[in-house]
Amino acid sequence: VVGGQVIEIAAGGLHSAAIVASSSSKNQKNIPASNNNDINEPAIVVRETRTFAWGSNRKGQCGIEGGKCATVPAPVPVVTVKRAEATSSRSNGSGGSSKTAPVDKVVHFEKLALGRVHTVAVTAYGEVFSWGSTSMGRCGHSMEGGRGISADRRICQEPRFVSA
């Protein structure tokens, strides 16, 4: 994986993933945590990152373009998620609205966790995205149709916003 510093790495049962931050500090933004001017609230640091995955992709858990490849032998970039494509209603995960609206046009992941056949990632804003096998509710997606879920509704082959 080239082009930066590995800031997060994880291994699932059948695949692995890493988040790489740009090595340039000019690709980092400090966003005020809220609009209420509370000086005790820390700023949100948003880094330009890229997520890479490799290993088994039978259930779309690598989140790669095309998604049909059964095995990914070397790190490949996860599909880029653009803000205009992501769900417009955001939540901070505790049922309330997020205090700070994302300002960057592309979603940049900061943390990730891998299960055997799915992946979950979090942004600096606290947004949660997931992809891979959706059986048994693993990814937290509703079972109503939508972009990124295959016709059999058991696989999501690209990162998709998880609403609370």
Side-chain angles (χ1 to χ4, degrees), residues 70-82:
T71 302
V72 182
V76 174
V78 169
V79 173
T80 300
V81 180
K82 295 182 179 161

Side-chain angles (χ1 to χ4, degrees), residues 141-158:
H141 304 159
S142 77
M143 293 311 280
E144 298 170 17
R147 196 176 169 299
I149 295 182
S150 68
D152 70 4
R153 298 178 187 237
R154 292 182 295 186
I155 298 172
C156 178
Q157 296 181 352
E158 60 188 52

Side-chain angles (χ1 to χ4, degrees), residues 53-74:
W54 59 96
S56 173
N57 191 46
R58 289 187 170 276
K59 300 293 183 180
Q61 66 265 39
C62 286
I64 61 171
E65 191 71 45
K68 296 293 182 187
C69 179
T71 302
V72 182

Side-chain angles (χ1 to χ4, degrees), residues 3-7 19-24 47-50 110:
Q5 171 185 348
V6 175
I7 61 168
I19 299 175
V20 177
S22 172
S23 56
S24 172
R47 298 181 275 197
E48 185 176 304
T49 63
R50 292 197 64 199
E110 288 287 323

